[in-house]
Amino acid sequence: MALVGIAIGLTSMYLMRAEGLGRFASAANVIVNLPVHPDAFLYIFLPILVFDAALNIEVRRMMEDAAPILLLAVVAVLVATVAIGAALIPLVAVPATACFMLGSIVATTDPVAVIAIFRDVGAPSRLNRLVEGESLLNDAVAITLFVMFMGTLIGGQRLGLGAAAVSFVRSFAGGIAVGYIGARLIAGVLRWLLDMRLAQVTLTLALPYLVYIVAERQLGVSGVVATLTSGLVMSAMAQRRMSPYDWHFLHELWEQLAFWASSLIFVFASLLVPRMLFNIGWHDMVLLAVLIGAAMLARAVVVFGLLPSMATLHLSQTVSNRFKAVILWGGLRGALTLVLALSVTENTKIAPDVQRFVAILATGFVLFTLLVNGTTLRLLIRLVGLDRLSTVDQALRDQVLRLSRDRISNTVKTIGTDYEFPDTLISDVIRNRVVAEADLPTDGAALRSGDAGDYQLLLGLAALASHERELVLHHFGERTMSGRIVEEMLAFVGRLVDRIRAGDPAEYLRTARHMVDFSPRFRFALWAHRHLRIEGPLVDRLADRFESLLVQQIVLKELEPYIEEKLVPLLGEKVASMLREVLRGRHEMTGAALEALRQQYPAYAEELERRILYKTWLRREDVEYRTLFEDGVIGPELYSALRREVKLTRTEVEVRPRLDLGLEARQLISKVPIFAKLTKVQLDTIARLLRPRFAVPGEQLIRDGDHADAMYFISSGSVEVEVVGQKIRLNPGDFFGEMGLVTGQRRQGDVHSRGYCQLLVLREVDFKNLLRSDHEIQMQIATVASARIMMNQRASGVRSE
C-alpha cells in the first residue's frame, strides 16, 4: 500500500508540473493536496483502528503478561518520547515541544504487518500476545501525549513537568471512565438483542465513535483511551452476551473495517510522501538518522535493560533473548503514526517549519521501519530459530504423521477405487506420501529416546483440550451455558493448551486443578463479605462457581466418548487408558468441589440442574419449529407465534436463581442446640453478639499458637480439629475455640473447615459478657471445656509415653 501510494503521488506530481495537461493537472492537484480536514483523519480512522485492535485482544490471556506489556507500552513510550525529543532539540530550530510531539508520534507501534509475519512463520503465541498487547496500549499512551503536546504547541503556552503529569493523568483516567461507562451501557443492551445480528453490529460500530467524540469534544479527556477501554470491555463482556456465530461475524466485520481504514491511511499518507520529501536535504537525512538511532536505543534500553526486571521481581515469566531481539526489531510504525503526522501537516494553526519537520521525519521513519525492519524481520526470526517448531510440536507432528498414515492410505485407496481411478495411480500417490513420511527419524527429530509415550500422551491431551473448547462453544451456542461461565472456561482451556505445549504432561493436571480452585475474584469477594459485610459479590461468585463446576462436570462427561471414538484408533489403547486416568482425575476434583457445594446448598443445586434441562428443552424446541417451518409443515404466522412463546419462556429461564447464603443470625442461632431453650429476648441479645461467618473448604479457622480472640458455633457444615496428633470432627451444633478463652492460653491446635460452613463467631469480650449474663450457657461451655481439657491431657500423656 505504501509503495502504491508513493507511485500515485509521484505520478500526480509529474502531471501537475507537466504543461498542457489541463484536467489531468487539476485532478493531480486534488490528489497531491488532499482537500481533507486534519480532524477527519483522527475522527474517522482512529476509532476504527483502536477499537478493532482492542476487540481482538483476549483480555484474560493478556493479563498473564500484564507486567511486561505495561512496561513496553507505557515506560517504553515515555522513554522513547523523551529520548527522541532530547536528541533532536540541539539540532533543529523548531520549538522543543515539537520535538517531543514528534517523539510521541513515532512511539506508536503497528502490529499488523508484524503479526502477519509471525503467523506466517509460526512464531510462538506468547510473542504474539506481547507485541499485540504492547501496540494496543502504547497507542493510547502515545496519542494522549501527542494531543497534550499539540494543544500546547497551538496554544503557545509552556507546560511545566508537574502540570504535564497532572494533565496526562487526568486525560488518561477520564478516557478510561468514559470508555468503560459507554461499553457497559452497550454491553447491557446486547443481552436484549440476542439473534438480532444487525442491531448488535450497529451498536458496536457506533460505540467507538460515540465515546471518542464525547471524550474529546464534551469532556476534554483522551478519546483514544476511551475508545481503547470500550474495546477491551466489549472484548471481555460482549462474547458472553452474543451467540458464538454472531461474535464470529462481528469479528470478521471489524477486521474488514480495520483493513479498509488501514489501507486508506497508507494510501493517503503515501500520496503525500513525494510532496513531503520533494525538497529533503542532507540536514534532514542527518535528523532522520538521529531519530532512528534514538528510537532504537530507547527501545533497546527498555527491552534488554528493564524487561528482565519483571521476571526478577516475579511479576511475569522470563522473556527469552530471542523474543527480545524480535520485539526490538519488530517495532514497526504504520497507520497510526501516519494518521498523527497527517493531522499535523494538514493543520493550518501549526507553523510551516514544524509541519515540514514532522512530515519529513515521521514519514521517513515509517518508511524506514517498513522497508528495512519489515523486510528483514522474517530473516531475523529464522536466524534466532523462532520459525521452527518447538520440541513438543515437532514430536507431535511426527506422531500425527505416523499414526494417521495408514488410515489416510486406506481412505485414499477407497476413494480411488470408487472413482475408478487406475490402481497404479492410487499406489503411486500412496507410495510417494509414505516414502516422504518414512524419512522421519524413528525417534523423531524432536523425540528423545524413550519419550515416545510422553509425546503421544501430549498429543492426546492437546486433542482433548481442543475438543473441550469445541464442547464449551457448543454449549454456549445451545444456550445451556451462560456467557460469564463460557468466558472463564475458554480462558482456562487456553491455558491448558499452553501448558501442554510446554512439554510436561503433569502441567495439564496442575492447570486443571486451578479450574476448581477458588479464583482471586472469589477470594476478594469472601474478604469483602468478612471484613466489610458486603454480601452481593460473594453471592455472585459462589453462584458462578456452582454453575461453572456443574458445566465442567457435563463437559468432562462428554469428553469420555471422544477418547473411545477418536483417540483410541489414533493413539492406541495404552495412551487412551492414560488419558482416561487423567480425565478421571479431573472428574474427581470437579466432583468433590461440586459435592461440597451440593451438601451445603442442595436446593440450589437442583434448581441449577433443572435450569439446564429447561434450556436444553427450549433449544431443541426452537430447532424443531424451524425444521417444521423450513419443510413447509407450518406457515410463517404459526412459526412466528411459536418462536415468540419460546423466546418468552427463555427470557424467564435465563434469569439465574439467586443463591441465599443463609447467614441471617437468628436463623443460624436456632440451629445450635446450646441456644435452643433461650427466650426471645435472650435470642435477640445473642444475635447482637454473634457475627455470621462463611467458611470455604480447607480454610484454616484457628492456627496452633495464635492468640485466642473468639469462639465459634457451627450452624451448618463441619470442621476438623487437630490437637496433640489427634483429628476430631465437629458437626452442626458443636462449638470450638472456647478453650483459649476459658484458660487464657494460646491456641492448642489447628482447625480447618471440611466443607462449606456457616459459623457464628463470638468475640472474646462478648464471650465474657455472655457467660456473666446466662448461667445455663456458662455451665454448658464449662462442661465441654473441662471434658476437652481432660481429653487433651490424656492424649498428651499417651504421646509422651
Side-chain angles (χ1 to χ4, degrees):
M1 289 295 177
L3 294 176
V4 168
I6 291 172
I8 296 174
L10 285 171
T11 304
S12 301
M13 288 191 67
Y14 169 77
L15 293 175
M16 280 179 59
R17 286 167 170 74
E19 296 181 1
L21 294 178
R23 295 180 179 177
F24 289 104
S26 300
N29 182 60
V30 173
I31 293 175
V32 174
N33 300 291
L34 288 174
V36 180
H37 192 275
D39 285 347
F41 292 104
L42 295 178
Y43 282 87
I44 294 175
F45 296 117
L46 205 56
I48 290 180
L49 294 172
V50 174
F51 189 82
D52 173 69
L55 196 64
N56 283 288
I57 288 289
E58 292 186 62
V59 179
R60 285 179 179 268
R61 303 302 311 281
M62 190 178 73
M63 291 304 294
E64 297 174 12
D65 284 308
I69 287 174
L70 287 174
L71 178 72
L72 292 170
V74 180
V75 177
V77 167
L78 295 174
V79 171
T81 300
V82 172
I84 292 169
L88 291 175
I89 287 173
L91 306 177
V92 294
V94 299
T97 305
C99 296
F100 290 119
M101 182 177 70
L102 176 64
S104 66
I105 289 174
V106 300
T108 62
T109 57
D110 189 341
V112 176
V114 177
I115 295 301
I117 294 173
F118 285 173
R119 289 171 181 166
D120 188 35
V121 300
S125 59
R126 188 182 182 218
L127 184 59
N128 283 346
R129 285 201 303 273
L130 289 173
V131 172
E132 282 185 314
E134 176 207 3
S135 174
L136 178 67
L137 297 181
N138 76 10
D139 289 347
V141 177
I143 295 171
T144 302
L145 290 173
F146 164 76
V147 171
M148 184 177 69
F149 287 132
M150 191 171 183
T152 303
L153 195 63
I154 294 175
Q157 298 177 349
R158 298 190 64 179
L159 194 63
L161 184 60
V166 171
S167 175
F168 176 82
V169 172
R170 175 188 171 277
S171 180
F172 209 87
I176 291 175
V178 172
Y180 180 79
I181 294 171
R184 285 302 299 259
L185 290 174
I186 297 297
V189 175
L190 286 180
R191 69 168 66 249
W192 305 104
L193 299 176
L194 288 173
D195 299 324
M196 300 176 67
R197 177 181 293 180
L198 296 180
Q200 293 171 339
V201 169
T202 302
L203 285 177
T204 60
L205 185 59
L207 173 62
Y209 289 103
L210 287 174
V211 297
Y212 187 87
I213 292 171
V214 168
E216 287 285 340
R217 290 293 186 183
Q218 303 299 321
L219 302 178
V221 296
S222 175
V224 71
V225 173
T227 305
L228 166 66
T229 305
S230 68
L232 289 175
V233 173
M234 291 298 288
S235 175
M237 298 184 64
Q239 184 175 8
R240 64 190 192 211
R241 288 169 166 78
M242 303 170 67
S243 73
Y245 317 106
D246 291 343
W247 179 250
H248 180 68
F249 174 79
L250 182 69
H251 264 281
E252 288 190 331
L253 177 67
W254 270 99
E255 185 179 358
Q256 184 68 66
L257 291 173
F259 174 76
W260 286 338
S262 181
S263 300
L264 286 172
I265 289 169
F266 269 103
V267 171
F268 285 160
S270 302
L271 288 174
L272 306 180
V273 167
R275 189 189 75 180
M276 293 176 179
L277 304 182
F278 182 73
N279 56 354
I280 189 171
W282 285 108
H283 181 65
D284 298 318
M285 298 297 291
V286 172
L287 293 179
L288 180 59
V290 171
L291 169 61
I292 293 170
M296 294 297 291
L297 180 61
R299 190 167 177 81
V301 167
V302 174
V303 172
F304 286 96
L306 301 180
L307 194 56
S309 65
M310 298 294 100
T312 304
L313 297 174
H314 304 290
L315 296 176
S316 76
Q317 299 177 8
T318 303
V319 178
S320 69
N321 287 329
R322 297 189 301 165
F323 278 23
K324 293 174 191 172
V326 173
I327 292 172
L328 172 63
W329 197 247
L332 273 63
R333 273 60 169 181
L336 283 174
T337 302
L338 294 177
V339 166
L340 300 180
L342 284 171
S343 68
V344 173
T345 60
E346 302 302 310
N347 195 321
T348 56
K349 296 180 181 179
I350 295 180
D353 58 335
V354 175
Q355 289 184 352
R356 181 181 181 279
F357 168 72
V358 171
I360 290 177
L361 293 187
T363 306
F365 189 64
V366 170
L367 291 176
F368 175 84
T369 61
L370 287 177
L371 302 178
V372 178
N373 296 50
T375 56
T376 57
L377 181 60
R378 190 186 305 267
L379 176 61
L380 175 63
I381 291 174
R382 287 174 179 165
L383 287 176
V384 298
L386 288 179
D387 63 322
R388 294 189 291 272
L389 292 176
S390 66
T391 302
V392 175
D393 285 336
Q394 180 65 44
L396 294 179
R397 172 187 178 274
D398 297 352
Q399 289 296 321
V400 166
L401 290 175
R402 284 197 190 85
L403 295 170
S404 60
R405 181 178 58 199
D406 293 338
R407 297 175 61 196
I408 296 174
S409 297
N410 292 333
T411 302
V412 171
K413 189 180 297 182
T414 301
I415 292 174
T417 303
D418 291 343
Y419 292 167
E420 298 182 355
F421 291 162
D423 292 341
T424 54
L425 177 63
I426 299 171
S427 302
D428 185 54
V429 170
I430 293 175
R431 188 185 311 109
N432 286 337
R433 291 303 302 159
V434 169
V435 168
E437 291 160 15
D439 292 337
L440 294 169
T442 311
D443 293 338
L447 282 175
R448 298 185 300 275
S449 177
D451 284 350
D454 283 347
Y455 285 107
Q456 287 182 330
L457 179 59
L458 285 171
L459 176 59
L461 292 174
L464 278 180
S466 176
H467 191 61
E468 185 171 352
R469 177 181 175 82
E470 293 176 9
L471 289 173
V472 170
L473 290 174
H474 171 74
H475 277 283
F476 184 49
E478 293 288 301
R479 297 184 179 174
T480 55
M481 181 190 301
S482 64
R484 71 179 77 190
I485 302 303
V486 74
E487 180 190 359
E488 179 182 308
M489 290 191 66
L490 287 177
F492 270 120
V493 173
R495 292 193 191 99
L496 280 178
V497 173
D498 284 350
R499 299 301 184 266
I500 292 166
R501 296 196 179 281
D504 184 2
E507 285 291 331
Y508 179 91
L509 271 181
R510 291 193 196 104
T511 305
R513 192 171 292 110
H514 290 314
M515 296 178 73
V516 299
D517 285 343
F518 295 103
S519 67
R521 293 177 67 189
F522 184 95
R523 295 188 183 281
F524 175 77
L526 185 63
W527 178 89
H529 175 264
R530 191 165 293 168
H531 297 281
L532 305 178
R533 302 298 172 197
I534 301 175
E535 185 174 288
L538 180 59
V539 170
D540 289 339
R541 296 292 80 77
L542 200 58
D544 285 346
R545 178 172 175 79
F546 226 135
E547 187 176 356
S548 175
L549 291 172
L550 188 57
V551 172
Q552 282 184 51
Q553 191 176 57
I554 293 172
V555 170
L556 291 173
K557 194 70 177 174
E558 292 174 341
L559 283 175
E560 294 174 3
Y562 178 73
I563 294 177
E564 306 304 324
E565 296 170 8
K566 300 292 185 182
L567 299 185
V568 170
L570 181 65
L571 301 172
E573 181 57 39
K574 181 178 178 181
V575 175
S577 113
M578 289 190 284
L579 293 175
R580 291 190 202 99
E581 190 64 30
V582 169
L583 208 57
R584 190 177 301 114
R586 286 189 63 187
H587 228 308
E588 290 174 356
M589 287 190 297
T590 307
L594 184 59
E595 185 58 29
L597 278 169
R598 273 202 179 103
Q599 289 180 359
Q600 187 66 30
Y601 303 104
Y604 189 78
E606 183 179 330
E607 190 64 30
L608 282 184
E609 290 165 348
R610 179 183 290 108
R611 183 166 169 258
I612 288 177
L613 291 177
Y614 267 124
K615 286 183 174 183
T616 303
W617 177 282
L618 291 172
R619 180 62 178 170
R620 293 293 179 265
E621 193 173 347
D622 196 11
V623 172
E624 181 69 19
Y625 295 153
R626 184 165 59 246
T627 303
L628 292 174
F629 172 68
E630 292 171 351
D631 291 344
V633 178
I634 60 177
E637 295 83 3
L638 178 56
Y639 177 57
S640 298
L642 291 172
R643 287 205 69 192
R644 280 196 300 271
E645 292 176 10
V646 171
K647 187 175 182 180
L648 184 61
T649 308
R650 179 180 284 135
T651 302
E652 298 172 358
V653 174
E654 288 289 344
V655 179
R656 187 171 65 183
R658 183 166 179 80
L659 175 64
D660 181 9
L661 291 180
L663 294 180
E664 202 279 320
R666 284 292 299 267
Q667 182 183 358
L668 293 179
I669 290 172
S670 65
K671 299 178 183 178
V672 180
I674 196 174
F675 303 128
K677 298 180 180 179
L678 297 181
T679 65
K680 183 179 182 302
V681 175
Q682 290 174 314
L683 283 175
D684 290 338
T685 303
I686 295 293
R688 286 193 292 270
L689 295 177
L690 296 173
R691 292 188 176 183
R693 174 168 174 174
F694 182 78
V696 298
E699 181 179 348
Q700 186 161 22
L701 303 170
I702 288 180
R703 189 186 306 274
D704 187 15
D706 283 355
H707 171 70
D709 57 355
M711 72 172 293
Y712 302 81
F713 299 89
I714 306 173
S715 179
S716 67
S718 62
V719 303
E720 185 174 77
V721 181
E722 185 174 358
V723 58
V724 199
Q726 290 186 329
K727 293 183 178 180
I728 305 166
R729 176 174 175 173
L730 300 180
N731 297 309
D734 293 332
F735 54 86
F736 60 93
E738 81 291 345
M739 294 279 293
L741 300 181
V742 171
T743 63
Q745 299 176 350
R746 291 187 173 273
R747 301 293 192 190
Q748 300 297 311
D750 296 321
V751 181
H752 293 84
S753 58
R754 300 184 74 252
Y756 294 94
C757 296
Q758 292 170 338
L759 306 171
L760 290 164
V761 183
L762 184 64
R763 294 177 301 179
E764 182 177 12
V765 60
D766 296 326
F767 171 80
K768 294 177 180 177
N769 292 334
L770 177 63
L771 295 188
R772 282 195 295 266
S773 64
D774 196 297
H775 180 70
E776 185 176 346
I777 292 178
Q778 178 184 11
M779 291 300 296
Q780 291 190 50
I781 292 177
T783 301
V784 173
S786 299
R788 289 179 179 173
I789 291 173
M790 293 179 62
M791 181 184 69
N792 291 344
Q793 289 175 346
R794 287 197 301 269
S796 300
V798 170
R799 190 175 179 183
S800 62
E801 291 175 5

